[in-house]
Amino acid sequence: LRPTKNPCGPRPLQTRGAHRMKLVRQNECELVFDVRPLRTWMTTSGLSLVAFVGAGVIHGSLTLHQRQQLVGVLYGAATAWSILMLCISMAVSTERARIDLETRDLRLTRVPTIAVARNGGFDAAHMRAAQSELVALDDILSLGVEAERDNEYATEHAFRVQLRTRSGRTIPLTSRFTAGLKEKKELVKLVKLHLAPDVREKAVALDSVAILMREDDL
């Protein structure tokens, strides 16, 4: 007998980039989109490593007498810095938009990284999220990409997917804007396949900052 495949089993997709909204799982039962603060995690890890490398370099350049006096100070400071970086990385949040194709609803959750570590993974953390928002798929009237507006200090333009319900509520899928217009347009088209036929796709309105940027940034 051939083993039967679970249609709701995970089928992860390969994605690139940091701090972007990505489709992390797609099957016959669900679509799962995540925004994970990879850039923050990598930065804090790198700064922790730099602290210990710097302490080692300074320690190696000292005389034997100075080493005996300062070894505790050097590595104590490096440890304190690493703990601070760890606290920052544990405090930043991951966001998830999960579309259940069986119950036909959209669940939005946001949890800190420490909750992911405590629960042993992203799925368990978001499943047990204390705060969540539930939207029925049949209540969605329109769907589109929203551009971040009037950010004069942006080095790349940022976007997020948002929807509008039939009752007039506007709900962004994530609180933060992230890079990658093409990816978000593809996500909108994918989600729209599972919505009512009369759901409209809203056009993206770019401001003057976005228009001046390179096309690759969009």
Side-chain angles (χ1 to χ4, degrees), residues 12 22 53 140 164:
K22 303 179 181 69
V53 171
I140 298 175
R164 188 173 181 84

Side-chain angles (χ1 to χ4, degrees), residues 48 50-63 65-82:
S48 297
V50 167
F52 278 100
V53 171
V57 170
I58 295 173
H59 183 262
S61 66
L62 299 176
T63 64
H65 179 67
Q66 289 174 325
R67 290 179 187 176
Q68 293 174 343
Q69 289 184 321
L70 298 177
V71 61
V73 175
L74 287 173
Y75 288 101
T79 300
W81 176 258
S82 297

Side-chain angles (χ1 to χ4, degrees), residues 4 21 24 29 48 91 102 125 154 164 167 185 187 189 193 208 210:
T4 57
M21 187 176 191
V24 296
C29 301
S48 297
E102 294 183 320
R164 188 173 181 84
S167 60
K185 283 184 173 181
L187 293 181
K189 292 184 182 300
L193 294 175
S208 57

Side-chain angles (χ1 to χ4, degrees), residues 20-171:
R20 292 193 173 192
M21 187 176 191
K22 303 179 181 69
L23 175 62
V24 296
R25 189 161 61 250
Q26 177 185 9
N27 54 48
E28 295 178 10
C29 301
E30 63 178 354
L31 299 176
V32 179
F33 306 92
D34 274 7
V35 176
R36 301 176 183 177
L38 301 180
R39 188 173 298 162
T40 301
W41 293 339
M42 291 187 292
T43 300
T44 53
S45 299
L47 290 175
S48 297
L49 179 61
V50 167
F52 278 100
V53 171
V57 170
I58 295 173
H59 183 262
S61 66
L62 299 176
T63 64
L64 179 60
H65 179 67
Q66 289 174 325
R67 290 179 187 176
Q68 293 174 343
Q69 289 184 321
L70 298 177
V71 61
V73 175
L74 287 173
Y75 288 101
T79 300
W81 176 258
S82 297
I83 292 174
L84 175 62
M85 293 298 101
L86 178 62
C87 291
I88 292 174
S89 66
M90 289 292 104
V92 294
S93 296
T94 70
E95 299 183 65
R96 170 165 291 189
R98 179 180 180 271
I99 297 176
D100 191 320
L101 300 177
E102 294 183 320
T103 61
R104 292 197 54 77
D105 56 37
L106 165 67
R107 185 171 185 257
L108 305 176
T109 53
R110 184 178 183 182
V111 297
T113 303
I114 191 171
V116 177
R118 186 170 58 242
N119 288 283
F122 292 96
D123 289 341
H126 284 284
M127 188 66 66
R128 299 171 183 169
Q131 295 183 342
S132 64
E133 185 165 8
L134 201 65
V135 182
L137 295 186
D138 295 331
D139 190 37
I140 298 175
L141 178 64
S142 63
L143 185 72
V145 179
E146 176 190 11
E148 187 180 28
R149 309 290 295 181
D150 303 319
N151 185 353
E152 299 178 357
Y153 303 100
T155 57
E156 57 181 3
H157 209 64
F159 307 86
R160 66 182 179 184
V161 177
Q162 72 171 8
L163 58 89
R164 188 173 181 84
T165 66
R166 298 182 189 277
S167 60
R169 295 172 59 209
T170 299
I171 304 174

